[in-house]
């Protein structure tokens, strides 16, 4: 038998119920704008808020002008003779000391000596010639860092069980390396002049590599007086 859904009747009912809403695009009735509300010029420009009037308390203070009824005190006479006092003060006054100047051109351009940098002011200071505090602190920090580094190296050598070679062991090692180099060199001299086969060429390259390695080891041991080796 053909399958029939149990929701067939409800779907059909809902489709018939909402069928009228599909007949139009959008709502059926739309409010028509009034023709008087048309777009006016400069209507969309931002408007500044209205300026508020200043209150009486915010006004500028009144000028201190004396009133009309003000009468200054008059009629006071001073018996001091200003001419005589000024003459006496000018006679008894000490002459001004001229400021020291410096002239650096033949045209006579003058500059104050104090601000010219020629006056030895700084040598009169208490801390003149004394090493600054930050320099001494920096040197102490460098010494402390060097000691810590040396201590860490010694500790690392102790952890890795490094042993220092004595002078006799170093000399015997150097002699052994030189002896090995002489043996390899002797074998290298015994090679034929023409290496026309692959085994001869490979053997020659092997001897050259051994000689280079031995020369490098000899140079390192002769350059460094103190040598550490790991205990096996």
């Amino acid at each position: 038998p053909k399958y029939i859904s149990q929701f067939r009747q409800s779907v059909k009912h809902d489709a018939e119920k909402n069928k009228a809403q599909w007949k139009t695009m959008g709502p059926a009735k739309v409010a028509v704008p009034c023709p008087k509300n048309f777009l006016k010029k400069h209507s969309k420009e931002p408007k500044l808020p209205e300026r508020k009037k200043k209150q009486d308390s915010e006004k500028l203070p009144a000028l201190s002008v004396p009133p009309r009824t003000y009468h200054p005190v008059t009629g006071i006479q001073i018996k001091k003779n200003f001419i005589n006092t000024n003459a006496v003060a000018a006679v008894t006054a000490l002459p001004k000391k001229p400021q020291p100047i410096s002239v650096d051109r033949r045209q006579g351009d003058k500059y104050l000596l104090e601000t010219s940098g020629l006056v030895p002011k700084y040598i009169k200071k208490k801390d003149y010639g004394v090493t600054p505090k930050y320099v001494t602190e920096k040197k102490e920090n460098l010494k402390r860092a060097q000691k810590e580094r040396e201590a860490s190296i010694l500790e690392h050598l102790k952890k890795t069980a490094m042993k220092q070679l004595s002078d006799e062991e170093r000399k015997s090692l150097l002699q052994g390396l030189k002896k090995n180099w002489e043996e390899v060199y002797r074998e290298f001299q015994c090679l034929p002049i023409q290496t026309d086969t692959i085994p001869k060429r490979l053997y020659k390259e092997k001897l050259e590599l051994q000689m280079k390695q031995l020369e490098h080891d000899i140079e390192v041991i002769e350059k460094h007086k103190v040598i550490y080796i790991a205990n096996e």
Side-chain angles (χ1 to χ4, degrees):
K2 186 178 180 181
Y3 171 76
I4 298 173
S5 176
Q6 59 180 347
F7 302 104
R8 182 176 181 182
Q9 296 297 329
S10 61
V11 170
K12 188 183 293 185
H13 177 70
D14 291 342
E16 291 176 356
K17 184 179 179 182
N18 300 328
K19 189 173 182 181
Q21 297 180 4
W22 303 343
K23 291 183 178 180
T24 58
M25 297 290 291
K29 294 181 180 180
V30 181
V32 180
C34 181
K36 294 181 180 180
N37 297 333
F38 57 89
L39 187 63
K40 297 181 180 180
K41 188 177 182 181
H42 305 295
S43 61
K44 290 189 176 183
E45 292 182 358
K47 295 181 180 180
L48 296 175
E50 294 182 0
R51 187 176 180 181
K52 296 181 180 179
K53 295 182 179 180
K54 290 187 177 180
Q55 299 179 0
D56 296 338
S57 61
E58 296 180 359
K59 291 181 179 180
L60 295 175
L63 298 175
S64 58
V65 179
R68 276 186 182 179
T69 57
Y70 175 75
H71 297 285
V73 179
T74 58
I76 299 175
Q77 295 180 358
I78 299 173
K79 296 181 180 181
K80 183 178 179 181
N81 192 349
F82 289 96
I83 297 174
N84 293 335
T85 54
N86 291 339
V88 172
V91 171
T92 58
L94 296 174
K96 292 183 178 180
K97 293 183 179 180
Q99 290 184 341
I101 59 175
S102 64
V103 181
D104 58 352
R105 292 184 182 180
R106 62 183 180 180
Q107 283 82 4
D109 295 337
K110 298 178 182 180
Y111 302 96
L112 292 176
L113 185 63
E114 187 176 357
T115 58
S116 64
L118 301 174
V119 181
K121 289 184 177 181
Y122 296 100
I123 61 175
K124 297 179 181 179
K125 289 187 175 182
K126 295 181 180 179
D127 57 348
Y128 180 77
V130 181
T131 306
K133 187 177 179 181
Y134 73 92
V135 176
T136 54
E137 290 179 355
K138 188 176 181 180
K139 289 183 178 179
E140 291 176 359
N141 293 334
L142 289 174
K143 289 181 181 178
R144 195 182 304 111
Q146 183 67 20
K147 290 180 180 179
E148 291 177 357
R149 184 172 175 275
E150 291 176 356
S152 64
I153 290 172
L154 291 174
E155 187 177 357
H156 178 69
L157 293 175
K158 289 178 181 178
K159 287 182 180 179
T160 53
M162 301 293 288
K163 183 181 75 173
Q164 183 180 353
L165 285 178
S166 60
D167 292 338
E168 296 179 356
E169 292 175 345
R170 178 175 167 276
K171 290 179 181 178
S172 62
L173 180 61
L174 190 59
Q175 290 176 0
L177 289 172
K178 289 181 179 179
K179 187 178 180 180
N180 292 340
W181 183 85
E182 289 175 358
E183 292 178 358
V184 176
Y185 184 67
R186 193 181 300 110
E187 292 180 4
F188 183 78
Q189 286 182 334
C190 294
L191 288 174
I193 297 174
Q194 186 177 4
T195 54
D196 52 354
T197 60
I198 293 176
K200 290 180 181 180
R201 194 180 301 117
L202 293 175
Y203 185 63
K204 182 180 178 182
E205 292 177 358
K206 180 182 176 182
L207 293 176
E208 288 176 350
L209 289 174
Q210 289 180 359
M211 289 173 64
K212 285 182 181 179
Q213 185 63 36
L214 289 169
E215 288 173 358
H216 175 71
D217 296 341
I218 291 168
E219 184 181 357
V220 169
I221 294 173
E222 287 180 346
K223 184 178 180 181
H224 300 283
K225 303 296 181 183
V226 181
I227 298 173
Y228 292 93
I229 59 172
N231 292 330
E232 296 180 354

